[in-house]
């Protein structure tokens, strides 16, 4: 009987997916659910046929280039892949896959959650109530802003941005504008009533809410820097469900402290899970612990997508979500 391929899941997955994986593969779990070190990841490449990392794992050239490597595929649990050295993977002949598409709706829902929480000052209100500081209803208490008729500026216009635009336009009556490398197909833009803005600065200056939907990595690092924040209006709000390093966090903290923008809703951070103390104390910032894809349905679908790539690889078929 042929031995089953041996795979390592670097973090705990939803139980139903772990059980499905165990039915097909010899699975090594991480019972402590802690981030693995570079040395542990490198060791896994020697002892397993596949490594299944998440965005918390840095799959470096040292990990991929380990001597006596056994693993031929890195099947990542997540859509982003900036945590993997793709050049090193290609040089070593290692297949890399991801899980696109399945987390679009959950992340778009979370972007709208942050828009609503910042616009209606929900975080401030909950903290006040839990602290026992609420003195009762009054006409001027924690006044926020309505969404109807406000302009949502989307930076990037891929699947998640388009899903966010759909919710904002048809659910809340917002106007939609977007910045991207090139205009979207006319049928998509027309359906969403989305206006293409070719200059990022112009989009920032014109939007009531700016929502970031670009991948992480060197090309987008600090895309929203001090100069970009200076283009935003003092009553505007920044939303980030993309990657933390898209924003210059120090510049954002200063803009929030000085009230040069009205607020920010953040699901991702440059040094997560470490979040700047200066950011944590700001009342005009809503902070969530990277919950973009955190629904049971989505996290299970992500795991099943990883398994589909692994099954194709070990069956000698093309992997459906090849990155490298």
């Amino acid at each position: 009987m042929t031995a089953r391929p041996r795979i390592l899941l670097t973090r705990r997955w939803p139980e139903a997916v772990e059980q499905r994986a165990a039915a097909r593969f010899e699975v090594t779990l991480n019972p402590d659910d802690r981030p693995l070190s570079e040395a542990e990841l490198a060791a896994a490449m020697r002892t397993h046929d596949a490594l299944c990392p998440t965005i918390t794992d840095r799959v470096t050239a040292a990990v991929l280039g380990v001597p006596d490597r056994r693993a031929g595929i890195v099947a990542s649990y997540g859509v982003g892949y900036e945590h993997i050295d793709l050049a090193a993977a290609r040089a070593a002949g290692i297949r890399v896959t991801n899980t696109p598409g399945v987390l679009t709706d959950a992340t778009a829902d979370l972007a709208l959650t942050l828009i609503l929480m910042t616009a209606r000052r929900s975080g401030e209100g909950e903290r006040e109530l839990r602290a026992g500081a609420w003195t009762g209803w009054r006409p001027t208490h924690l006044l926020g802003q309505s969404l109807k008729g406000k302009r949502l500026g989307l930076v990037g216009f891929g699947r998640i941005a388009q899903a966010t635009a759909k919710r904002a336009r048809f659910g809340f009556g917002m106007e939609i504008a977007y910045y991207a490398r090139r205009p979207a197909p006319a049928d998509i833009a027309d359906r969403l009533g989305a206006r293409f803005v070719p200059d990022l600065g112009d989009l920032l200056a014109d939007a009531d809410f700016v929502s970031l939907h670009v991948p992480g990595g060197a090309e987008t690092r600090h895309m929203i820097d001090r100069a970009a924040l200076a283009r935003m209006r003092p009553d505007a709000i920044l939303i980030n469900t993309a990657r933390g390093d898209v924003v210059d966090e120090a510049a954002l903290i200063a803009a929030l402290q000085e009230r040069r923008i009205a607020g920010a809703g953040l699901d991702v951070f440059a040094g997560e899970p470490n979040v700047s103390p200066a950011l944590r104390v700001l009342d005009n910032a809503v902070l969530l612990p990277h919950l973009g894809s955190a629904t049971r349905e989505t996290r299970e679908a992500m795991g099943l997508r990883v398994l589909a790539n692994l099954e194709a690889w070990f069956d000698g078929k093309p992997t459906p979500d090849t990155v490298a």
Side-chain angles (χ1 to χ4, degrees):
M1 180 176 178
T2 304
R4 296 190 300 167
R6 191 177 186 209
I7 69 173
L8 171 70
L9 311 187
T10 65
R11 303 301 294 264
R12 296 306 302 266
W13 290 7
E15 184 178 359
V17 188
E18 289 185 347
Q19 291 176 353
R20 169 99 173 244
R24 170 69 196 269
F25 306 109
E26 181 185 341
V27 179
T28 301
L29 299 177
N30 177 359
D32 297 329
D33 201 20
R34 59 175 178 81
L36 299 182
S37 68
E38 183 178 74
E40 289 172 314
L41 293 172
M45 294 292 287
R46 292 192 185 96
T47 57
H48 291 75
D49 299 293
L51 178 68
C52 302
T54 73
I55 60 170
T56 64
D57 302 300
R58 312 311 300 176
V59 186
T60 63
V63 170
L64 296 166
V66 65
D68 302 320
R69 172 178 55 82
R70 173 174 167 179
I73 182 171
V74 173
S76 189
Y77 183 102
V79 66
Y81 43 82
E82 64 275 6
H83 57 295
I84 302 170
D85 189 327
L86 296 184
R90 293 187 184 101
I94 298 171
R95 178 62 50 86
V96 178
T97 63
N98 67 340
T99 64
V102 294
L103 47 70
T104 297
D105 286 330
T107 308
D109 287 348
L110 203 283
L112 261 294
T113 298
L114 287 170
I115 289 171
L116 284 165
M117 289 184 71
T118 52
R120 297 302 301 272
R121 302 175 65 181
S122 301
E124 293 177 72
E126 186 186 29
R127 288 191 294 273
E128 180 183 278
L129 189 147
R130 288 182 180 276
W134 182 39
T135 60
W137 186 92
R138 55 193 188 275
T140 58
H141 181 231
L142 286 178
L143 296 182
Q145 57 176 298
S146 299
L147 300 187
K148 186 175 181 180
K150 300 297 173 60
R151 181 166 292 120
L152 173 61
L154 298 158
V155 179
F157 204 57
R159 284 186 292 247
I160 295 172
Q162 291 170 24
T164 302
K166 179 180 178 181
R167 287 156 172 74
R169 178 170 176 79
F170 298 112
F172 297 95
M174 300 184 77
E175 298 180 9
I176 307 298
Y178 70 96
Y179 164 80
R181 291 180 177 177
R182 62 188 66 86
D187 61 324
I188 293 175
D190 291 346
R191 184 170 68 248
L192 297 171
R195 177 173 60 88
F196 175 61
V197 181
D199 182 81
L200 175 59
D202 290 343
L203 181 86
L204 297 175
D206 195 40
D208 299 291
F209 296 84
V210 175
S211 187
L212 306 180
H213 300 279
V214 293
E219 288 188 17
T220 59
R221 185 176 185 274
H222 289 187
M223 184 180 197
I224 305 300
D225 56 11
R226 184 178 180 84
L229 291 164
R231 296 297 302 272
M232 292 177 63
R233 301 195 329 232
D235 60 349
I237 289 171
L238 179 71
I239 304 295
N240 190 9
T241 57
R243 286 290 183 266
D245 62 2
V246 174
V247 177
D248 181 340
E249 208 161 88
L252 175 61
I253 290 169
L256 292 168
Q257 289 172 333
E258 298 164 15
R259 304 285 171 168
R260 286 186 275 111
I261 65 172
L266 309 174
D267 187 46
V268 289
F269 307 90
E272 59 184 68
N274 300 313
V275 178
S276 168
L279 190 56
R280 296 203 308 264
V281 300
L282 291 171
D283 280 339
N284 55 346
V286 174
L287 312 176
L288 297 180
H290 207 143
L291 298 178
S293 63
T295 68
R296 181 170 53 254
E297 296 87 352
T298 300
R299 295 285 171 85
E300 288 182 356
M302 291 167 66
L304 293 176
R305 193 82 174 225
V306 174
L307 297 185
N309 282 290
L310 291 173
E311 288 166 359
W313 173 258
F314 290 116
D315 288 344
K317 301 175 181 178
T319 49
D321 303 307
T322 301
V323 173

